[in-house]
């Protein structure tokens, strides 16, 4: 029977026990059999003190991580702001095109040329980059950056403006009227437009109070720069007026029936408009570079920040003006009209009462 049971059940009870149960539970033998790492808890850390270099590196890493989080947050906010401003810009552009189509100023069907449309697209991208550069300038002035790091940001902003002058040079060769009319800018910016851009002398006059305190030598040199810019602006304005008068004389002169020769001569003179826009943009570009050289790196950063925020506020003003409530304006017009009608009725009654 025992043989039969052994045959039916070849595995005995003591064979199924784990090897750990066969080991003694007490004594030094048990601790020696366990691995060394198991004798240390899961939260075991080396008690060796950190040296000053390691602590300094950890502090630098924490500070770098904090700055990275701040930059990421500012960049996300800048993207959202750029998206909203781009939406307003597209609305202003569509509104301007609609006005041109309504007034018949945009050619056949109110459309613009392909070169002008390409410039508008590139300028919209430039405005997005402009917001990013403004955020970098503002954060660079608020955080304790070295002059070398701040110089990199200032040079990037200067190159950013060089890019828009390059884009305008390309657009002037395809559609110079589009640049001079200023339909690519906001309505508030158009109030200060001069030959397709800002007046350098007016920009310098606006900047001087914003950059104080300035050294006496700096103020004197910047004022000289503004005076020379004003003289160049007057010369270009006089030349443009002479060109316009010459165009009037050319188009109006000659026989009325056949004006082919007048049109050919007028087309030749219109080619000089590109030269005026190029010279005006060159004056604007050189003025910005001169200001950058005359100011310290932090003054230059402040200068470009003031310029960027100034034109950003002009664009915001245009959006606010376009979205202002019209009900009050309509009610004011109606009240004025009603008052005028009452005055007319009263005057007519007084006139008939004299009979």
């Amino acid at each position: 029977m025992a043989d039969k049971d052994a045959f039916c059940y070849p595995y005995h009870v003591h064979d199924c026990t784990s090897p750990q149960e066969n080991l003694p539970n007490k004594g030094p033998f048990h601790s020696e059999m366990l691995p060394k790492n198991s004798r240390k808890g899961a939260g075991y850390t080396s008690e060796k003190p950190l040296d000053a270099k390691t602590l300094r590196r950890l502090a630098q890493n924490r500070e770098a991580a904090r700055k990275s989080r701040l930059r990421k947050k500012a960049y996300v906010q800048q993207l959202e702001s750029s998206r909203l401003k781009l939406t307003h810009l597209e609305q202003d552009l569509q509104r301007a095109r609609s006005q041109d189509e309504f007034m018949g100023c945009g050619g056949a069907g109110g459309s613009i040329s392909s070169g002008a449309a390409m410039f508008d697209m590139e300028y919209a991208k430039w405005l997005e980059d402009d917001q990013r550069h403004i955020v970098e300038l503002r954060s660079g002035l608020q955080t304790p950056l070295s002059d070398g790091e701040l110089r990199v940001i200032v040079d990037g902003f200067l190159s950013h403006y060089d890019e828009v002058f390059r884009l305008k040079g390309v657009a002037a060769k395809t559609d110079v009227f589009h640049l001079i009319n200023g339909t690519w800018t906001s309505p508030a910016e158009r109030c200060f437009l001069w030959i397709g851009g800002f007046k350098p002398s007016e920009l310098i006059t606006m900047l001087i109070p914003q950059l104080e305190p300035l050294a006496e030598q700096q103020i004197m040199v910047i004022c000289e720069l503004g005076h020379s810019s004003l003289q160049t602006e007057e010369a270009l304005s006089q030349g443009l007026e002479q060109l316009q008068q010459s165009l009037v004389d050319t188009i109006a002169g000659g026989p009325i029936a056949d004006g082919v020769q007048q049109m050919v001569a007028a087309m030749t003179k219109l080619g000089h408009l590109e030269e005026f826009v190029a010279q005006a943009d060159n004056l604007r570009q050189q003025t910005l570079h001169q200001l950058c050289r005359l100011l310290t790196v932090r003054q230059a950063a402040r200068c470009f920040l003031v310029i960027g925020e100034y034109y950003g506020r002009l664009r915001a003003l245009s959006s606010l003006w376009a979205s202002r409530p019209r009900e009050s304006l309509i009610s004011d017009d109606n009240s004025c009209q009603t008052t005028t009608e009452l005055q007319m009725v009263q005057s007519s009654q007084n006139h008939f009462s004299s009979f």
Side-chain angles (χ1 to χ4, degrees), residues 288-307:
L288 293 178
H289 281 266
Q290 288 287 343
L291 285 173
C292 189
R293 284 191 288 266
L294 294 174
L295 300 173
T296 64
V297 61
R298 297 199 173 272
Q299 290 173 344
R302 173 67 180 167
C303 170
F304 290 139
L305 181 61
V306 170
I307 293 174

Side-chain angles (χ1 to χ4, degrees), residues 33-334:
M33 292 296 294
L34 293 176
K36 295 182 178 181
N37 294 336
S38 65
R39 282 179 276 176
K40 301 176 181 179
Y44 174 81
T45 56
S46 176
E47 298 179 357
K48 182 181 178 181
L50 300 177
D51 55 357
K53 183 178 180 180
T54 305
L55 292 175
R56 186 168 60 254
R57 187 182 299 111
L58 291 176
Q60 291 176 353
N61 292 341
R62 286 193 295 268
E63 182 64 20
R66 186 184 68 84
K67 290 183 178 180
S68 178
R69 289 192 298 269
L70 291 177
R71 285 195 298 268
K72 181 179 179 181
K73 182 179 179 181
Y75 182 67
V76 171
Q77 293 176 352
Q78 179 262 331
L79 287 178
E80 181 64 21
S81 177
S82 299
R83 185 185 66 82
L84 294 176
K85 291 185 178 181
L86 181 60
T87 302
H88 292 314
L89 179 64
E90 291 175 350
Q91 293 174 356
D92 294 339
L93 181 61
Q94 184 63 31
R95 190 181 300 108
R97 289 175 178 174
S98 301
Q99 291 175 356
D100 289 344
E101 183 177 359
F102 177 76
M103 298 179 65
C105 299
S111 61
I112 61 176
S113 64
S114 59
M118 182 62 66
F119 173 76
D120 290 345
M121 294 174 58
E122 294 293 337
Y123 184 71
K125 296 178 182 178
W126 184 87
L127 286 178
E128 293 181 6
D129 293 338
D130 188 64
Q131 293 301 315
R132 180 176 59 83
H133 284 287
I134 291 175
V135 171
E136 288 181 355
L137 281 174
R138 187 181 295 111
S139 62
L141 289 173
Q142 293 174 354
T143 56
L145 293 180
S146 63
D147 290 347
E149 293 173 335
L150 195 58
R151 172 62 65 183
V152 173
I153 299 177
V154 171
D155 291 343
F157 197 88
L158 196 59
S159 301
H160 171 64
Y161 266 87
D162 291 339
E163 176 64 16
V164 76
F165 291 131
R166 185 192 66 82
L167 293 175
K168 291 176 67 178
V170 175
K173 297 178 181 179
T174 57
D175 193 348
V176 67
F177 292 109
H178 184 69
L179 290 179
I180 294 180
N181 292 334
T183 54
W184 48 279
T185 61
S186 62
E189 289 178 286
R190 271 175 247 161
C191 294
F192 307 96
L193 207 64
W194 172 74
I195 315 184
F198 62 87
K199 269 190 174 183
S201 61
E202 294 179 354
L203 185 69
I204 292 174
T205 304
M206 182 268 295
L207 284 173
I208 291 178
Q210 303 296 328
L211 298 179
E212 295 180 351
L214 291 171
E216 184 177 354
Q217 182 68 21
Q218 286 180 317
I219 296 177
M220 183 176 63
V221 177
I222 292 175
C223 290
E224 290 178 357
L225 177 62
H227 182 67
S228 62
S229 299
L230 181 60
Q231 289 180 340
T232 308
E233 291 166 6
E234 291 176 351
L236 287 175
S237 298
Q238 291 176 3
L240 186 60
E241 290 177 359
Q242 293 176 1
L243 177 62
Q244 292 173 346
Q245 185 61 43
S246 177
L247 279 172
V248 171
D249 297 338
T250 301
I251 295 174
I256 299 178
D258 186 10
V260 176
Q261 295 181 355
Q262 286 75 18
M263 291 298 102
V264 173
M267 288 289 293
T268 303
K269 293 181 179 181
L270 278 179
H272 296 293
L273 280 177
E274 299 178 18
E275 300 176 5
F276 279 97
V277 173
Q279 293 180 18
D281 279 344
N282 182 65
L283 177 62
R284 287 184 272 263
Q285 188 176 13
Q286 294 300 322
T287 301
L288 293 178
H289 281 266
Q290 288 287 343
L291 285 173
C292 189
R293 284 191 288 266
L294 294 174
L295 300 173
T296 64
V297 61
R298 297 199 173 272
Q299 290 173 344
R302 173 67 180 167
C303 170
F304 290 139
L305 181 61
V306 170
I307 293 174
E309 290 184 344
Y310 171 72
Y311 287 104
R313 290 173 185 176
L314 283 180
R315 290 189 289 269
L317 178 63
S318 300
S319 300
L320 290 174
W321 178 257
S323 60
R324 70 191 187 280
R326 305 301 177 92
E327 290 80 6
S328 60
L329 299 178
I330 296 175
S331 61
D332 292 342
D333 294 340
N334 292 336

